[in-house]
Amino acid sequence: MKALITRPVATMIVVFARAMTAVRAIWPESGLPKQPCIYFANHSSHGDFILVWAVLPPWIRSRTRPVAGAEYWLATKLKRFIGQDVFNAVLIERDKDKRTGDPIVRMAEALDGGSSLILFPEGTRNETEEPLLPFRSGLFNLATLRPEIDLVPVWIDNLNRVMPKGEIVPIPLICTVTFGSAIRILPYESREAFLERSRAALLALSPKVAGAAA
Amino acid sequence: MNDAQSDLILLLSGTGAFLAVASVIGYVLRVKLSPDGSNTTIENLNARINAWWVMVVLIGIAFIAGRVGVVILFAFCSFAALREFVTLTNTRRADHWALAAAFFVVLPVQYYLIAIEYYGLYSIFIPVYAFLFMPIISVLRGDTEHFLMRIAEVQWALMICVFCASHVPALLSLDIPGYDGKNVLLIAFLIIVVQMSDVLQYVWGKLFGKTKIAPRLSPSKTVEGFVGGVASATLVGAGLWWITPFSPLQAAGLALTIAIMGFFGGLVMSAIKRDKGVKDWGHLIGGHGGLIDRLDSVVFSAPIFFHIVRFGWSLT
């Protein structure tokens, strides 16, 4: 019954995002993993997961859940509706004192349930001039708990210009979402090494970084 | 069925037949030379022909829907073109409201003025009001870094993508004696001549091109392609005199003017792409690149064509 409302709302959000950004996906030659996987992306705007979600093929999209901050997505009725009902987000309490369970375990359970996840390993929106903040430990902890899961780096380009922090009106600009080849955690790989390797895999997809290297 | 409708249907079916021939040729070439899809020239040719079908169908629907349809179609084209253009500019946070105004105020107002045929305002609205008020909005944030470059880029984006492009539907507001209700055919004349000029320059260039005309800007353009393409587009225009209020000779002169303007429009837009380090403006149209890649020659010729026809033939 609820799907009667949430499906059209999801479609409207995707249509709106596409009208604003004419978003174009760039796929890796190997294609996307068939099994549940983790899409880890750079984070500069609240619209990030919507853009990733919008470009995924419908059969993958329907079983892909974003991981998002509970304090933001539970703040108002509208956000709660969009976050929980429309996008079925795995909401994580970032404040340790308010946590009722281990967020990593909840993400692993979502994977076990057959869902893919969209994860932002920087942990917060990047509002600096740096292309990418250092990764928090979440991605490592999750990869350690489920080492057989594919990790797909996803670079979202230009969305921060569409809607910079504190602005209400989005500006139509063309965005691209670049998917890289999947990586996995290696046996006995250290936290630092893994986070550095996954961060480099993501950064390599940025057109600015790739452009500077060329 | 009146005159205008029968001319329009004749023109649309002629274009359809032309494309059908092109599709058949593309299919035969593909079967013979690129059965596995590995010949990029042929793949690109077929992608272009398919995109042409989509564009012709859209334009056909807009023409049949009448004035409002045409205005809405070009408003959307302007929106997509402006989105491509602004993506490549150096805008900063401080320009946010000026850009929002460009997309959500200036663009709709310009097309509304076109729709109500308010010539006195739509011909100056962007060069006077938008060009003065947008820098004012930007300057209020106090960010002076690259200020001149930022405002100049956005103004040029508006000029090309909105002001110039809106002169295509503005052709509908001309009042030409003995041509009532047929103005939509002027748009057809403009678009067919400009686009055929592009295509014929490409064909002539591929067949006979030797001397590069602008090696630094557009290595694929040649003197032979330019001369052959513009000359044959002029003939195409002259052959279309029966859908216009012009004599065959006048139609040829106007076709020559818009073909030449279109050529230089393409050069100017190539120079901007070079400057910004991109090959295409975007990826909206398969095989053609972005919308501006297909529209660049139209936007340069539309205002000139509009004002010549208005000066020479229109009562208003």
Side-chain angles (χ1 to χ4, degrees):
Chain A
M1 193 56 211
K2 217 170 196 178
L4 281 181
I5 308 171
T6 55
R7 281 280 181 83
V9 170
T11 308
M12 268 166 52
I13 292 174
V14 168
V15 167
F16 179 75
R18 284 188 172 274
M20 284 297 139
T21 65
V23 61
R24 186 171 62 98
I26 302 169
W27 309 108
E29 281 188 18
S30 49
L32 294 178
K34 304 270 183 292
Q35 324 76 15
C37 62
I38 298 168
Y39 302 99
F40 66 100
N42 58 316
H43 195 21
S44 55
S45 157
H46 285 306
D48 280 335
F49 74 80
I50 294 174
L51 224 52
V52 177
W53 204 72
V55 297
L56 286 172
W59 64 276
I60 294 185
R61 188 196 293 168
S62 59
R63 53 175 180 77
T64 301
R65 303 174 65 185
V67 178
E71 77 284 358
Y72 179 82
W73 289 102
L74 296 180
T76 65
K77 260 193 175 166
L78 180 69
K79 283 178 185 168
R80 182 189 293 262
F81 172 69
I82 291 175
Q84 278 194 323
D85 297 332
V86 179
F87 291 108
N88 190 20
V90 180
L91 294 177
I92 297 299
E93 188 59 66
R94 271 185 291 197
D95 187 345
K96 280 195 177 125
D97 303 332
K98 291 187 190 156
R99 276 181 191 163
T100 48
D102 184 350
I104 302 296
V105 172
R106 293 199 36 219
M107 289 183 228
E109 283 167 1
L111 288 169
D112 299 341
S115 295
S116 291
L117 298 177
I118 302 172
L119 192 68
F120 300 104
E122 293 165 277
T124 181
R125 277 180 300 153
N126 178 5
E127 284 154 8
T128 68
E129 298 285 318
E130 288 297 308
L132 195 58
L133 299 174
F135 282 4
R136 308 269 284 271
S137 308
L139 188 65
F140 173 76
N141 294 337
L142 186 54
T144 314
L145 204 59
R146 292 286 179 275
E148 73 290 0
I149 292 280
D150 281 326
L151 309 164
V152 181
V154 181
W155 184 268
I156 303 165
D157 199 52
N158 237 2
L159 193 61
N160 55 340
R161 281 177 72 204
V162 170
M163 207 155 163
K165 190 197 174 212
E167 305 289 354
I168 322 158
V169 183
I171 291 177
L173 293 171
I174 295 171
C175 298
T176 52
V177 178
T178 310
F179 292 77
S181 304
I183 60 171
R184 283 188 188 184
I185 192 164
L186 304 171
Y188 310 112
E189 192 171 14
S190 75
R191 198 173 71 114
E192 288 72 27
F194 170 77
L195 290 179
E196 198 40 57
R197 189 165 65 92
S198 49
R199 184 169 178 271
L202 177 54
L203 209 48
L205 303 175
S206 156
K208 275 146 206 129
V209 171
Chain B
M1 191 185 291
N2 62 31
D3 253 19
Q5 281 169 329
S6 59
D7 281 358
L8 191 58
I9 285 169
L10 194 60
L11 202 62
L12 283 174
S13 31
T15 316
F18 183 78
L19 277 178
V21 172
S23 290
V24 170
I25 295 175
Y27 177 75
V28 171
L29 282 175
R30 188 182 170 161
V31 170
K32 290 214 157 165
L33 299 172
S34 173
D36 53 352
S38 57
N39 185 323
T40 48
T41 309
I42 290 172
E43 292 306 305
N44 182 263
L45 178 73
N46 282 320
R48 278 172 181 252
I49 294 170
N50 292 342
W52 271 115
W53 276 110
V54 176
M55 288 190 263
V56 167
V57 167
L58 278 178
I59 291 176
I61 291 171
F63 278 9
I64 290 162
R67 197 174 39 183
V68 175
V70 175
V71 171
I72 290 175
L73 175 73
F74 279 90
F76 274 104
C77 288
S78 277
F79 179 84
L82 192 60
R83 192 174 59 186
E84 285 174 3
F85 202 120
V86 173
T87 301
L88 294 185
T89 62
N90 296 291
T91 55
R92 290 165 66 86
R93 283 285 306 278
D95 302 313
H96 197 87
W97 280 106
L99 288 171
F103 277 100
F104 300 118
V105 181
V106 176
L107 192 156
V109 169
Q110 174 73 5
Y111 277 92
Y112 173 72
L113 295 171
I114 300 271
I116 63 167
E117 307 192 341
Y118 192 167
Y119 173 80
L121 194 49
Y122 74 64
S123 58
I124 60 146
F125 173 66
I126 287 177
V128 174
Y129 294 94
F131 283 10
L132 291 178
F133 281 95
M134 291 196 17
I136 293 178
I137 299 174
S138 281
V139 86
L140 288 175
R141 292 261 188 117
D143 179 357
T144 56
E145 181 110 6
H146 299 306
F147 185 71
L148 179 58
M149 186 165 82
R150 279 158 39 206
I151 59 169
E153 281 179 338
V154 177
Q155 295 199 335
W156 229 71
L158 270 183
M159 186 73 191
I160 290 298
C161 303
V162 184
F163 184 76
C164 288
S166 72
H167 281 71
V168 179
L171 287 165
L172 297 179
S173 66
L174 296 176
D175 184 7
I176 300 168
Y179 200 63
D180 289 341
K182 295 172 81 171
N183 284 21
V184 77
L185 295 171
L186 282 177
I187 298 183
F189 177 79
L190 170 70
I191 293 179
I192 290 174
V193 170
V194 173
Q195 299 294 352
M196 282 310 290
S197 170
D198 282 0
V199 171
L200 290 166
Q201 282 178 40
Y202 174 83
V203 173
W204 280 84
K206 282 269 170 197
L207 292 177
F208 306 107
K210 286 195 194 75
T211 331
K212 290 195 184 341
I213 199 166
R216 290 182 57 193
L217 289 176
S218 203
S220 60
K221 286 199 166 79
T222 60
V223 177
E224 294 80 3
F226 169 65
V227 173
V230 168
S232 39
T234 305
L235 287 180
V236 169
L240 285 173
W241 66 276
W242 53 276
I243 63 164
T244 70
F246 322 130
S247 71
L249 199 62
Q250 290 167 337
L254 282 161
L256 178 66
T257 312
I258 51 190
I260 290 178
M261 280 310 293
F263 171 79
F264 285 110
L267 275 193
V268 170
M269 301 309 275
S270 289
I272 297 177
K273 284 191 286 188
R274 296 260 146 179
D275 179 22
K276 294 294 176 190
V278 294
K279 195 179 147 286
D280 288 322
W281 285 96
H283 299 82
L284 197 65
I285 316 177
H288 293 260
L291 187 65
I292 301 181
D293 291 293
R294 204 79 317 276
L295 222 57
D296 52 6
S297 37
V298 178
V299 291
F300 268 72
S301 47
I304 307 282
F305 180 65
F306 172 87
H307 283 289
I308 294 176
V309 177
R310 183 172 180 275
F311 183 78
W313 282 268
S314 177
L315 295 175
T316 48

